[in-house]
Amino acid sequence: MVKIKVYGNQKVEGVIPISGAKNAALPLMAASILSNNGLKLKNVPPLLDVDNMLCLLENLGVICQVDQENTFANSISLKTDAIYNFLAPYDMVKKMRASILVLGSLLARYGRCKVSLPGGCAIGVRPIDLHLKGMEALGAKVELRDGYICASTDKGLRGVEYKFPIVTVTGTENIMMAATLAEGTTVLKNSAQEPEVVDLANCLNKMGAKISGQGTKVISIKGVSDLHWTEHNVLPDRIEAGSYMIAAGITKGCIDLQGGNFRELLPAFIEKMKQVGLTFCDIDGGIRVQTTGALEPACINTAPHPGFPTDLQAQTMAMLCIVNGESYITENIWENRFMHAAELARMGADITLTGHTARIRGVPLLHGAPVMSTDLRASFSLLLAALAAKGESIVDRVYHLERGYCCIVEKLARCGVVIDKIKH
Ligand code: EPZ
């Protein structure tokens, strides 16, 4: 799928099953390397980024078997007793930054690895210095050579107290994975508290790791000598759920989201959406979200969990574009995550950017237009704007959507939404 044609003025009404979280599945897949005995993951979303991680693991020597559970989920068995390669090459890492997650597990289990530096990406510079400092604190020797991170350890990793200067999600995951096999206890301060970090820690504990404090700022990891096989269900994708909540908001629809406790996974986001005027009620196995009356403008600051997630900022902006009054969004995580603003403006939105704050003056109506996706969440924001707009829109470069939203056209079709895929 290259482009999608979206017909405007559509209402999203129906039931949407929420898939497993991409951002939980990727670190869990990398964690399989820590054990000689493999790992079985269930509720894995069939997504491009998951395929990319499978390619990377296969290249290392992991034997991967994918079985379909249903249209929206696979189970993946990872057999890890024959790893022979310790290189994550540039061609693979450049496709997906989360490849950096193999650093911690390769280093912990094999004492060496060579991983390409990921480089920047559309939403910001995205350095990985904190991953490297954490590995060094655990006793690894880290060198940067010819665009690669060459990491090794002579006597194995050893437990340490390490404080992240800023909160990093994959940084916390990487160091936590490395520390599971280190000698002694590691205490990670100012750790990320994201549910995906908790899911990883819970899976590692099922494999025999001794991790406590996950979900708080201080995570303690008592090193063990090896880990065993387990089976783990990937937690539901809170960002996919939040994105569809906004679909109900922007189209004045009603959606039953199935598959998780989304109040617990999205506390600040749901609180803010209630202030905007969306209503939520618990249903069997999920939550119902709907909009009936007029929506109110909002003031939003993105922040690490449990704050308002940056990964829902673009979608929220799309909705606020048609809310009467002035809204403000400050993006505090990524320095270049407002690229959707210019595309929304092509549809008639009134957005002024000053530094990392966007002022959004609500307009009565957006108009369909050809627009260009720049990254995963920005793509969804354009789709949302197009659903609510007057007239047709063509959203280009939607391969971004396929990286992180499972079966989007099929899920929306279940809610009566008509979207045409354009293959070229
Ligand atoms: C994760 O990225 C997510 N990706 C991102 O989701 C998400 O936006 C982000 O966390 C924040 O919630 C995955 O989980 C695979 P960070 P990550 O390290 O871990 C700076 C999506 O749309 N930083 O928490 O790479 C960094 O520049 C994606 O699904 C350093 O300075 O993000 C940023 O400003 C996009 N040095 C801040 O920290 C480092 O070594 C937070 O980044 C690491 C990070």
Side-chain angles (χ1 to χ4, degrees):
M1 178 164 72
V2 176
K3 300 178 190 179
I4 49 178
K5 186 193 262 189
V6 186
Y7 303 93
N9 198 21
Q10 299 198 62
K11 214 174 235 224
V12 189
E13 274 180 337
V15 179
I16 295 192
I18 294 303
S19 296
K22 162 184 85 81
N23 289 347
L26 300 175
L28 286 165
M29 291 167 77
S32 68
I33 298 171
L34 287 167
S35 151
N36 214 17
N37 304 305
L39 175 65
K40 182 168 181 182
L41 297 172
K42 298 174 83 175
N43 197 32
V44 181
L47 293 170
L48 200 57
D49 272 7
V50 169
D51 292 344
N52 286 333
M53 186 56 105
L54 283 170
C55 274
L56 175 58
L57 294 180
E58 276 173 347
N59 194 54
L60 300 174
V62 178
I63 298 166
C64 309
Q65 189 188 317
V66 180
D67 295 300
Q68 191 178 34
E69 278 176 34
N70 56 55
T71 318
F72 306 124
N74 289 331
S75 73
I76 297 185
S77 292
L78 302 161
K79 202 165 174 289
T80 47
D81 53 356
I83 290 178
Y84 54 82
N85 185 15
F86 311 104
L87 171 73
Y90 176 65
D91 278 352
M92 291 185 175
V93 178
K94 77 171 184 209
K95 281 192 201 154
M96 188 188 57
R97 288 184 49 88
S99 309
I100 189 72
L101 285 161
V102 299
L103 178 73
S105 40
L106 282 176
L107 192 57
R109 179 145 163 242
Y110 296 98
R112 67 195 163 105
C113 62
K114 188 171 168 186
V115 179
S116 171
L117 280 164
C121 79
I123 61 175
V125 178
R126 301 188 79 173
I128 46 131
D129 55 318
L130 305 178
H131 298 235
L132 305 187
K133 283 189 182 125
M135 297 302 166
E136 281 175 335
L138 283 166
K141 192 172 150 212
V142 179
E143 284 175 344
L144 300 183
R145 278 201 303 263
D146 308 325
Y148 277 82
I149 304 154
C150 302
S152 61
T153 153
D154 293 335
K155 296 181 192 148
L157 299 172
R158 35 169 214 281
V160 72
E161 190 172 305
Y162 179 72
K163 183 171 180 191
F164 292 100
I166 51 172
V167 177
T168 157
V169 177
T170 48
T172 302
E173 291 166 345
N174 229 344
I175 312 296
M176 184 168 79
M177 284 193 274
T180 54
L181 296 183
E183 198 187 316
T185 299
T186 300
V187 179
L188 299 179
K189 296 188 169 168
N190 200 26
S191 297
Q193 302 173 76
E194 268 65 5
E196 294 75 21
V197 177
V198 177
D199 199 41
L200 174 64
N202 291 346
C203 175
L204 289 168
N205 280 344
K206 283 185 350 200
M207 292 166 81
K210 297 207 176 319
I211 303 174
S212 56
Q214 61 270 33
T216 73
K217 279 181 172 293
V218 182
I219 301 179
S220 231
I221 307 124
K222 194 164 173 236
V224 296
S225 54
D226 50 26
L227 298 175
H228 52 74
W229 182 89
T230 199
E231 186 176 289
H232 184 77
N233 272 313
V234 177
L235 101 160
D237 194 327
R238 65 196 168 101
I239 304 301
E240 187 194 24
S243 302
Y244 286 117
M245 288 175 187
I246 301 171
I250 197 170
T251 69
K252 301 222 180 306
C254 173
I255 307 181
D256 286 359
L257 297 166
Q258 292 286 352
N261 183 346
F262 301 111
R263 284 189 198 273
E264 203 175 283
L265 292 171
L266 287 167
F269 173 76
I270 290 186
E271 209 35 57
K272 196 53 92 173
M273 290 304 107
K274 282 192 202 157
Q275 287 168 21
V276 170
L278 275 63
T279 56
F280 294 85
C281 80
D282 295 325
I283 53 165
D284 196 21
I287 198 163
R288 173 170 300 158
V289 52
Q290 61 186 323
T291 315
T292 42
L295 298 180
E296 298 291 325
C299 209
I300 287 164
N301 276 283
T302 64
H305 194 78
F308 191 99
T310 171
D311 291 347
L312 286 168
Q313 177 261 109
Q315 304 89 314
T316 306
M317 185 185 286
M319 179 172 68
L320 294 175
C321 286
I322 51 167
V323 172
N324 189 26
E326 255 181 27
S327 293
Y328 290 87
I329 298 184
T330 300
E331 171 56 56
N332 294 306
I333 309 291
W334 301 114
E335 66 275 21
N336 193 28
R337 212 177 199 183
F338 278 150
M339 282 169 299
H340 43 281
E343 297 302 306
L344 291 168
R346 301 190 68 254
M347 301 177 77
D350 181 353
I351 303 168
T352 309
L353 301 181
T354 310
H356 56 138
T357 297
R359 184 191 65 197
I360 303 129
R361 285 193 171 129
V363 295
L365 205 59
L366 294 173
H367 296 271
V371 285
M372 183 83 82
S373 303
T374 46
D375 67 79
L376 170 60
R377 310 303 171 188
S379 313
F380 203 96
S381 78
L382 298 178
L383 168 64
L384 289 169
L387 286 173
K390 182 168 180 240
E392 285 171 23
S393 300
I394 304 281
V395 186
D396 202 349
R397 295 203 186 155
V398 286
Y399 57 83
H400 288 294
L401 278 177
E402 291 169 333
R403 291 189 57 187
Y405 286 96
C406 163
C407 307
I408 190 166
V409 175
E410 293 76 5
K411 287 188 182 183
L412 283 170
R414 288 178 166 214
C415 295
V417 172
V418 185
I419 291 173
D420 292 337
K421 296 181 188 180
I422 304 173
K423 294 249 156 62
H424 43 112

